[in-house]
Structure formats: C-alpha cells, structure tokens
Amino acid sequence: MKLSIYVVLLLLIVKVQAQESLTYQKPSKEILDLVDVPLAPSVLVDDNKEFMIFLYRNTFKSIEEISQEELRLGGLRINPKTNIGSRVTYYNNLKIKPLLTKESEVVQVSGLPSEPKLANFTFSPDQKKMAFTNTTSSGVEVWVVDVIKQAAKKLTEPRVNANLRDVINWFEDGNAILVKMISPDRLELIDKKNAVPTGPTVSVNDGKKAQNRTYQDLLKNKNDEHNFEQLALSELYKVTLDGKSEKWLEGAMYNNIMFSPDGEYVMVTTVEKPFSYLVPYRRFPSKTIIYSKDGQKVETVIEVPLIEDLPKGFMAVRQGKRRFSWRNDLPASLVYAEALDGGDPEKEALYRDEIFQLNAPFNGEAKSLMKTINRYDSAVWGDEDTALIIDDWWNTRNTKTYLFNPSDSSVEPKILFDRNYQDRYSDPGRFVTKRNKMGSDVLAIKGSYAFLNGAGYSEKGQFPFIDKINLKSFKTSRLYQSEYTDKLENLNDYDVEKSELLVRIESPDEYPNYFIRDLKKNQLRQLTRFDNPFKSIQDIHKEVITYKRDDGLELSGTLYLPVGYNKEKKEKMPMILWAYPREFKDQSSASQKTSNPNKFTFPYYGSPIFWVTKGYVVLDGASFPIVGEGDDQPNDTFRTQLVANAKAAIDAVDALGYIDRTRVAVGGHSYGAFMVANLLSHSNLFAAGIARSGAYNRTLTPFGFQSEERNYWEAPEVYYTMSPFMHADKMKTPLLMTHGEADNNSGTYPMQSIRYFNALKGLGAQVRLVMLPNESHGYRAKETILHLLWEQDQWLEKYVKNKPVPDNKKTELK
C-alpha cells in the first residue's frame, strides 16, 4: 500500500515537473521597447499619381481576437458569426494625401465606422473611389470612400459573405458594385461538438494514384460538408453607390468573379459537388459561366471535375482547359491554356502547353495563339500585334519569355529571355505595364520599345534599374539605374509617358519613404515622411559579409554587432545565427548575394535582431543553399551541406574576431526549424537552438515536402536521413521548440513538435516545448509575441550567454 502511494506521488511530482503553469510573460525592456511601437501606414497610389491612401493598422492582434470561434473547412478558416476569414488582417483608419500639389497635408477620411475593421480594398475603374468591407460584431458590411472628397459611407447592411473571398467587383461605369451576400436559403450550421453521428466516415479509392501533399484544415465528415456548403452559399447583388440593391444571381457557392475589360461580361466560377476529404476547396469541382452585365447567362465555358489524382510532380496539372482569364487589351476575349503532355511532367513532350483565345459570345471554336516549351505561367498583353507569354519548369528552374503576335499565329514567337529563374544576377526585370482606356493593365509600349523594371542584384550589390527593349531589334539599353551605395531605392512604378518613377528609399536607420523621381528633370520629390520608430538600434553596425564553404561555394549573411560594440577592442560576444535552407540546381545561382545591408533594420516579431540590444552578435539570413546539380537532387546530401553551411558561417564571423564560437545559438522558423533540429543532431557547432513551428518527421509528409518531389517509397533513405525524429538519440544540445496550436501550414502539424518533444524527452535531451494557444503557422497575438520573445530571451541567457566556457574547447563535427 505504501509503495502504491509512493508511486502515485512520484508520478504526480514528475507530471508537475514536466508541465509549467505559466501565464503570458513579457521580455526585458530593451526588447519590449522595440516591439510595442506603432506601425507606419501601408500605402496605395492611383495610377495617375493624383493621391496616396494611407492604411493604418495595429501591429498585432489580441489573444482575444484570435480566440474567437473558428471553423476550419476545406482549407479555409472562417468566423461563422461574421462570415469572413478568421485570420484576416484588418485596418482601422484611412487617410488620403493629394499628390498634385507640393507639400499637401494628409487628410483624415471622414464618415468611417466607429470601430473600423477594414479589408478587401478595391478601386473603382476610374480610381476615384474605393470600396472596402467593414467587419462588425454581427457581420460584414460594404463601404465606399470618395477619394476626391475624402469621405466614406456605408452601402450595405452586415449581410456580406466574404468566406470565399473576391467579395467586391466594380461595374465598368463605377456607379455600382457586384457583392456576395448571405443566401436566405442557408441552413443552420451543425455544432460539431454536440452532433450525434449517423454513421462512420468512409473514404475509398478506385485504384488511381492520388499523391497529395499533407494539407491542413480539410473536410473530415458529412457535418463538415454541410457546414462548408452553407458558409460558401451566397447570392450576388448589384449595389449602387446610393445604397440601392437588386439581386443579380440566385444562390450558389460563388468563388471567383471577373468582369471583362469592357465591362459587358462577367466570368463567374462556382464551387460544385462532390466535396473531398483529401484536397482543399480550390480543387473541388467547379463551373465557370459567362454572364452579361445584366446577369443573363451567355455560355458555360468549362466544368471541372474533382481534382484528387494529379500526376506526380510540381509541374503536374489537370487535363483539359485551365487558367481562364480575360485578355486585357481586348474588350471581351477569354484566354486559357491546355496541357499537351496530359498534364504529366514525366512524359516527354516538345511543347508542354498550348494557349488559346475564345472570343465573345464564347461558343465558337477557340483560336490557337502559341505553344510553350515549359508550363504556361502568365501573360502580358500589349496590343493586337504584341504580347508576351512567360513559362517555367521547376525541375530545371528554367523560365522563358516569348514575344509573339496574337493576331498571326504563323509568325514564330521570339524567345526574348531563356534563363534560370534562380539566377538573380541575370534577371532582366518585369515588364512595365500601364492602365489602358478600359482600366486594364497592358504592356507599356512607346514606339518600338517596351520597358523593364529590374531588382538589380549583382556581385557589387543591388542597384535597381529601368531598361528599354526594342521589340524589333531586341536590343536593350538602360534608362535609369540607382546609384546609391548607402541606401536602397526600390523602383515601384515607372510612368513611360511622364518619364517618372514612384520610388521607395530606405537605409538601415531611415524608415522607407516614398518619392517621385522625375528622370527628365533629374529631380526627386518626397511624398511621405515616416520616422524611424526603432531609435535604440539605429546606430548599430550592419554589413553583408561573404565567405566560402569548404567546397568553395560562396555564401553570405547580414551581420549585426551589438549596440555600443567597440570594433577595435573586439570583445568576444555570443552569437545568434538565423537561417532558412533553400534548394538550388546549380552552384552559380546558390552563391549569389541577395541580402542588402542598406535595407531598413526592421525588428519584426520573428527577427533575431532584438538581441543586439542584449549583447549578441547576429548573423541573419545566412546563406544555407542545398545544391543538387545535374541528375543529383539537393536533398541527397542535405545533412552534409547543412552542416557545411553552418560551419562556414561560424568560421567567418569568428575570423573577424567578434564572437566566442562556443557560445553560438542557431534559430529558424518552419523549414528553418527543421534545419535547426538537424544541425543540433548532427554537429557540435552550437550551444543551443530555437526551432519554431517545424516538421521533424518526414514520413508524416510521405508525398513530398518543401522542394522534394519524390515520395517516401521512392527515396526512403532521404526521408529517414533528413528526419530529426529518426535521430532524436543524437540530440545533446538544449533545444527550445515553439508551435502554434492551430498551425495551418502544409506538413507542419502541431503533432510534429509534440511527437518530437516526447521522443527527445524520453531520450533525456534538454528540450522545452511551448505550444501557443490559437496561433497559426505565423504568430499574430500581441500576448503571444511578447511571450515568445521572453521564452527565447530566457533560453539564450541560460544556455548561450551564460554558458560555462571550457578552456580551449574546440567544436567538432559529430
């Protein structure tokens, strides 16, 4: 009897020791002062650059907000009370700044709701008005703001259905909008907690392969099916700007809605049955119908069956017509693609896709425009004789840009660019577009020239540029290139006719601000004056360092020294290395520098930069390429390359004399967390690790993960070797794990962290698991963020900064 009581007491003690009853904590003042600061507004600018709209929001949500009722159905997360996504980012204020007069004041928009929760902003065709939704405690309303008068007004009652997004679409005259409204035919939702089952849930397969990734939030039973259908069901209403409304279409599960460029037709896609328990709603059956602007049916252009059994591979697509869109330079012509290889990337094919055009009234024979060597990606329409098609192929990282004549298919398309899309140095930039008379974006053409806006990465740094390309001779010449060596000038938009650029300029200690750059007059006019809210770190040393891996591959990372650090004394400090692995098919692309030391130093919630205030050196965004050239796949040597990347980074900063290499921590989020667990299991390079929202057992994602196309049964050794869970017995380094309890990311189920923690605990590792209530893959609540920073700070203080330092201890690979 005494022995039994002793065992029970012992179990209780173990349980108490294993679990901590902890309320939300706050980090130290140095960190807190960088977190709890107001955000500068987001910015929208009309195409004519007549006004600038400032959108304000809180930095974080509250734990109360993210704890509201949420249904997870078919890949969606819905607040069933308000009928909008439960994770939507809301803005709480609007201001407008006229741009035609110099030094004009920012004007507060009048008439806004009392407690604004604004989203789904949509410009009118003439961009003089902007519609948006406001979420109240009982539902979603539609509002509109007159940009010229800086005044807002409500158009609808809170009956809007925003569950499938694409909520607001403008009629061409700008006097009315098409809105999804809750259907009066909606049935009561089933309370899954109290529902009594009527039978088992049965899934079957007829022998077809259906190698789908591990999606989250899928439908699970008939109750889920019922709730999804009711929440997706809506009616379409035409609502005029004076608030009058009339039903435009009867109830259906309306998904995407798109007016033709001339506004005479509307392409409406609906979600259909049967639903699936294997894939999210975007792969449920669908039907696309063209209607007139008066709501009269014109033609059904496609009915798509349930898509559960695509061929294997990232470039796999379904058979038949797909990717319907309007051709922007014509009044009402549809464009779509069709696979020539059956949608199977493993089949040999000279051409992968064919692009077709179908003109109104959409019941005739489609016209073939051209064929693509890779998979069709996108189009930029210019005029009757000029258009661009972009394709890509993941397996080779190849992309091609074709110039072709859409009016004459007998003219062979010209391949303007044929390149590795991971090769950032050779990136010619994106083609500049402009709004045409119908309000659609088309290729900006001036004479024989089109224009390119490039990011400007190079061996010497980043220098964004504007090029012009002759569409007859195909020669390019440079119109403008940023010359800043101590700032970063982002080229947001180029006005071909005015020869003006909308630019955003920033530096490590200067908050990004907007300017108009007049290329003709060589003048720069400032539009915004946002201040740096992070004064305590504005003077820290920041640079991009380059170094080499043992195999000669050049790497880089952004190095920050602690606040007040004396570079001459070179006191050896603890370091935090933060990274994210990326796969490449060639060493040249993998070695390119894309970090810019001139970017503003912004300590967002997931950043390690906070710890420069606590005496740490930080190497952020360290290069962690995983390269597999030719027939070799990157993941075949994942662990070896991972450790080599880490060792090279530590060696490089150690050689500069700034760090004590026995006190280095490594951290990462998602696939970065996966990286951390592998590094701690297969090297002795680190004093501690921080792994946030990761996946640790690849057999739980058996049909591929990240950039791995092979399934588990094709490459079991890769899945085993890469899984930290399989090597939990090798973990000898303190590891802090965090995970959102409501993680929605494919593959990173919360179970991944729970099972890995249990394995590490069972094997005696030093590990702490912090599960964050109601948080998704990225964390949103202020209480969560502050506690996360506290957890990380406590962990680093204990196991890194104050770690006992053995004399002459050298790190070695395991």
Side-chain angles (χ1 to χ4, degrees):
M1 181 69 177
K2 288 183 179 180
L3 181 61
S4 298
I5 294 174
Y6 174 77
V7 171
V8 171
L9 288 173
L10 183 61
L11 288 173
L12 287 173
I13 291 170
V14 170
K15 185 175 181 180
V16 169
Q17 289 177 338
Q19 310 298 329
E20 288 188 15
S21 179
L22 192 65
T23 58
Y24 287 109
Q25 302 293 305
K26 293 182 180 180
S28 62
K29 186 177 185 302
E30 300 97 325
I31 294 176
L32 191 60
D33 288 346
L34 294 173
V35 180
D36 203 10
V37 296
L39 284 177
S42 299
V43 169
L44 297 176
V45 182
D46 72 307
D47 288 320
N48 292 327
K49 299 180 182 60
E50 295 179 0
F51 52 81
M52 178 176 278
I53 299 177
F54 294 164
L55 287 70
Y56 296 83
R57 67 176 177 89
N58 295 327
T59 308
F60 308 110
K61 290 192 172 190
S62 68
I63 194 66
E64 181 181 3
E65 286 179 288
I66 70 165
S67 300
Q68 293 177 0
E69 184 180 6
E70 176 182 73
L71 293 182
R72 304 171 192 173
L73 302 167
L76 293 171
R77 294 193 166 187
I78 294 170
N79 183 324
K81 185 176 180 181
T82 56
N83 290 289
I84 192 169
S86 54
R87 306 278 167 163
V88 170
T89 296
Y90 291 114
Y91 294 86
N92 55 31
N93 196 13
L94 298 179
K95 296 182 181 180
I96 297 176
K97 177 184 174 69
L99 298 180
L100 294 182
T101 56
K102 292 184 178 180
E103 302 303 324
S104 58
E105 296 295 323
V106 177
V107 180
Q108 172 64 52
V109 172
S110 64
L112 289 172
S114 57
E115 296 181 2
K117 295 178 73 174
L118 315 178
N120 297 300
F121 298 96
T122 310
F123 272 124
S124 62
D126 63 2
Q127 297 191 322
K128 304 299 183 187
K129 296 179 178 62
M130 187 172 66
F132 54 89
T133 60
N134 176 56
T135 302
T136 70
S137 60
S138 60
V140 178
E141 310 162 332
V142 172
W143 287 62
V144 67
V145 60
D146 186 315
V147 177
I148 306 302
K149 297 179 180 179
Q150 295 99 39
K153 66 177 182 179
K154 186 171 76 170
L155 292 186
T156 75
E157 294 303 312
R159 293 180 43 245
V160 174
N161 188 346
N163 290 329
L164 291 187
R165 308 182 180 98
D166 202 4
V167 189
I168 301 169
N169 284 273
W170 284 88
F171 283 83
E172 183 64 21
D173 60 10
N175 293 322
I177 55 178
L178 195 58
V179 183
K180 296 178 182 178
M181 305 294 281
I182 296 170
S183 172
D185 297 329
R186 175 189 285 188
L187 302 176
E188 288 293 322
L189 300 181
I190 295 174
D191 183 352
K192 295 191 291 183
K193 295 178 182 178
N194 301 318
V196 177
T198 59
T201 299
V202 179
S203 299
V204 297
N205 187 52
D206 61 2
K208 292 182 180 179
K209 291 183 178 180
Q211 300 189 13
N212 296 300
R213 291 214 163 191
T214 48
Y215 298 112
Q216 303 264 39
D217 301 337
L218 299 177
L219 302 183
K220 297 180 178 65
N221 49 52
K222 291 294 182 181
N223 293 341
D224 281 353
E225 290 191 54
H226 171 86
N227 287 345
F228 176 84
E229 181 176 5
Q230 303 315 307
L231 291 167
L233 188 65
S234 59
E235 296 178 336
L236 295 183
Y237 274 78
K238 181 179 181 179
V239 181
T240 60
L241 296 189
D242 59 6
K244 296 178 181 179
S245 65
E246 60 177 322
K247 187 185 295 187
W248 196 79
L249 278 184
E250 295 290 340
M253 291 181 283
Y254 293 110
N255 192 8
N256 298 322
I257 299 170
M258 189 182 300
F259 277 85
S260 62
D262 65 359
E264 293 297 316
Y265 299 95
V266 191
M267 180 166 55
V268 178
T269 301
T270 55
V271 177
E272 303 292 329
K273 293 181 177 181
F275 299 149
S276 170
Y277 298 171
L278 292 179
V279 294
Y281 85 98
R282 63 180 179 272
R283 287 172 62 175
F284 290 179
S286 66
K287 182 186 297 183
T288 299
I289 300 175
I290 307 298
Y291 294 90
S292 70
K293 66 180 179 181
D294 298 322
Q296 301 300 311
K297 180 179 177 180
V298 177
E299 189 68 32
T300 299
V301 293
I302 189 169
E303 294 185 57
V304 180
L306 176 63
I307 310 170
E308 283 187 340
D309 53 355
L310 286 176
K312 191 184 66 155
F314 292 150
M315 302 314 298
V317 296
R318 62 175 176 80
Q319 296 186 54
K321 303 171 184 177
R322 71 179 204 282
R323 301 284 299 272
F324 275 83
S325 62
W326 294 106
R327 183 172 156 179
N328 285 359
D329 63 320
L330 294 181
S333 293
L334 287 171
V335 178
Y336 63 88
E338 195 161 356
L340 299 174
D341 56 5
D344 187 349
E346 293 190 359
K347 287 185 178 179
E348 294 293 329
L350 183 61
Y351 295 100
R352 294 290 177 178
D353 279 345
E354 188 168 6
I355 317 303
F356 293 90
Q357 178 177 316
L358 182 62
N359 298 327
F362 318 109
N363 54 10
E365 185 176 348
K367 170 188 175 183
S368 175
L369 296 179
M370 65 165 289
K371 297 176 182 178
T372 60
I373 296 172
N374 296 322
R375 193 70 77 207
Y376 170 65
D377 178 78
S378 59
V380 183
W381 303 102
D383 54 33
E384 291 183 355
D385 304 319
T386 310
L388 299 159
I389 291 287
I390 297 94
D391 70 12
D392 58 54
W393 197 251
W394 180 88
N395 306 71
T396 58
R397 311 306 198 264
N398 180 256
T399 181
K400 295 177 173 62
T401 301
Y402 307 80
L403 173 68
F404 74 105
N405 184 340
S407 297
D408 189 352
S409 58
S410 66
V411 178
E412 190 73 18
K414 167 68 177 179
I415 298 179
L416 293 180
F417 308 118
D418 185 352
R419 50 182 295 274
N420 180 339
Y421 59 71
Q422 289 187 316
D423 180 0
R424 303 299 297 277
Y425 291 176
S426 70
D427 188 349
R430 56 182 174 83
F431 279 90
V432 175
T433 61
K434 65 177 182 180
R435 279 169 63 87
N436 62 11
K437 294 179 180 179
M438 296 180 291
S440 299
D441 289 331
V442 296
L443 183 67
I445 302 174
K446 190 172 184 180
S448 300
Y449 291 95
F451 303 85
L452 292 155
N453 184 340
Y457 290 107
S458 70
E459 292 184 2
K460 297 181 179 179
Q462 185 182 2
F463 304 96
F465 61 84
I466 297 292
D467 278 353
K468 65 177 182 179
I469 179 170
N470 190 307
L471 298 179
K472 294 181 178 178
S473 67
F474 314 119
K475 293 182 179 179
T476 61
S477 56
R478 190 134 299 178
L479 292 179
Y480 175 76
Q481 182 157 16
S482 179
E483 297 180 352
Y484 288 114
T485 57
D486 58 346
K487 298 181 180 182
L488 171 60
E489 180 180 15
N490 293 287
L491 311 183
N492 287 29
D493 183 56
Y494 177 52
D495 188 319
V496 172
E497 299 303 325
K498 295 181 180 179
S499 195
E500 286 183 347
L501 282 165
L502 174 66
V503 302
R504 192 183 71 178
I505 300 176
E506 60 190 282
S507 74
D509 62 345
E510 293 177 357
Y511 200 92
N513 275 289
Y514 291 85
F515 300 77
I516 294 289
R517 181 177 290 282
D518 188 322
L519 298 186
K520 290 181 179 178
K521 298 179 181 179
N522 194 27
Q523 293 179 345
L524 193 65
R525 177 162 67 95
Q526 189 163 358
L527 303 179
T528 64
R529 299 184 183 277
F530 303 136
D531 291 328
N532 181 358
F534 308 112
K535 300 292 186 183
S536 64
I537 60 171
Q538 67 179 3
D539 296 324
I540 60 169
H541 177 80
K542 176 182 179 181
E543 65 174 310
V544 172
I545 62 169
T546 57
Y547 47 94
K548 288 187 177 181
R549 208 163 72 176
D550 287 344
D551 61 359
L553 185 66
E554 189 166 277
L555 308 176
S556 62
T558 304
L559 181 70
Y560 300 84
L561 298 183
V563 172
Y565 185 81
N566 189 324
K567 291 179 65 178
E568 294 182 359
K569 291 184 177 180
K570 290 192 175 181
E571 181 182 357
K572 293 188 178 297
M573 310 300 289
M575 184 176 88
I576 304 170
L577 187 159
W578 207 269
Y580 189 94
R582 300 188 186 279
E583 298 85 352
F584 293 86
K585 286 299 291 177
D586 69 293
Q587 291 206 2
S588 176
S589 298
S591 67
Q592 294 180 355
K593 292 186 296 183
T594 55
S595 299
N596 192 322
N598 299 321
K599 284 186 175 181
F600 178 70
T601 303
F602 195 113
Y604 71 99
Y605 90 86
S607 169
I609 297 170
F610 295 102
W611 280 272
V612 297
T613 66
K614 304 294 294 285
Y616 291 82
V617 172
V618 172
L619 186 64
D620 193 19
S623 298
F624 264 68
I626 309 297
V627 185
E629 294 189 303
D631 293 333
D632 294 334
Q633 294 300 313
N635 286 339
D636 293 345
T637 53
F638 178 83
R639 273 176 23 190
T640 302
Q641 295 192 61
L642 206 65
V643 173
N645 291 330
K647 182 177 181 299
I650 295 172
D651 287 346
V653 186
D654 186 29
L656 294 173
Y658 298 142
I659 63 167
D660 172 1
R661 65 180 299 144
T662 67
R663 293 187 294 158
V664 177
V666 61
H669 188 93
S670 192
Y671 206 56
F674 175 70
M675 170 201 75
V676 169
N678 268 297
L679 284 172
L680 298 192
S681 298
H682 303 294
S683 79
N684 285 326
L685 294 168
F686 299 99
I690 298 172
R692 298 196 311 239
S693 298
Y696 307 102
N697 184 347
R698 298 280 47 140
T699 67
L700 297 178
T701 56
F703 291 109
F705 56 90
Q706 202 71 5
S707 293
E708 178 58 64
E709 277 193 312
R710 295 168 294 185
N711 65 42
Y712 169 76
W713 296 271
E714 291 174 313
E717 70 288 348
V718 170
Y719 279 69
Y720 176 85
T721 301
M722 291 180 67
S723 295
F725 181 88
M726 306 302 181
H727 309 281
D729 59 320
K730 296 180 180 178
M731 177 65 72
K732 301 295 186 291
T733 307
L735 174 63
L736 171 64
M737 300 167 62
T738 71
H739 213 123
E741 287 184 348
D743 194 329
N744 67 334
N745 186 55
S746 177
T748 54
Y749 295 108
M751 178 182 67
Q752 287 271 8
S753 286
I754 294 170
R755 295 285 174 83
Y756 187 42
F757 169 80
N758 287 337
L760 293 173
K761 176 184 173 184
L763 292 166
Q766 289 180 304
V767 60
R768 179 180 177 90
L769 172 61
V770 182
M771 298 300 293
L772 303 169
N774 300 315
E775 291 290 356
S776 188
H777 192 61
Y779 313 148
R780 303 290 296 277
K782 182 176 180 178
E783 293 87 345
T784 298
I785 303 306
L786 296 180
H787 186 84
L788 171 74
L789 294 171
W790 177 82
E791 288 279 2
Q792 293 177 156
D793 192 41
Q794 297 295 307
W795 198 257
L796 292 168
E797 287 289 308
K798 181 176 182 179
Y799 291 109
V800 181
K801 179 183 284 188
N802 296 308
K803 173 191 174 183
V805 183
D807 293 334
N808 301 318
K809 180 71 175 178
K810 299 295 183 181
T811 57
E812 300 174 354
L813 298 185
K814 287 183 180 177

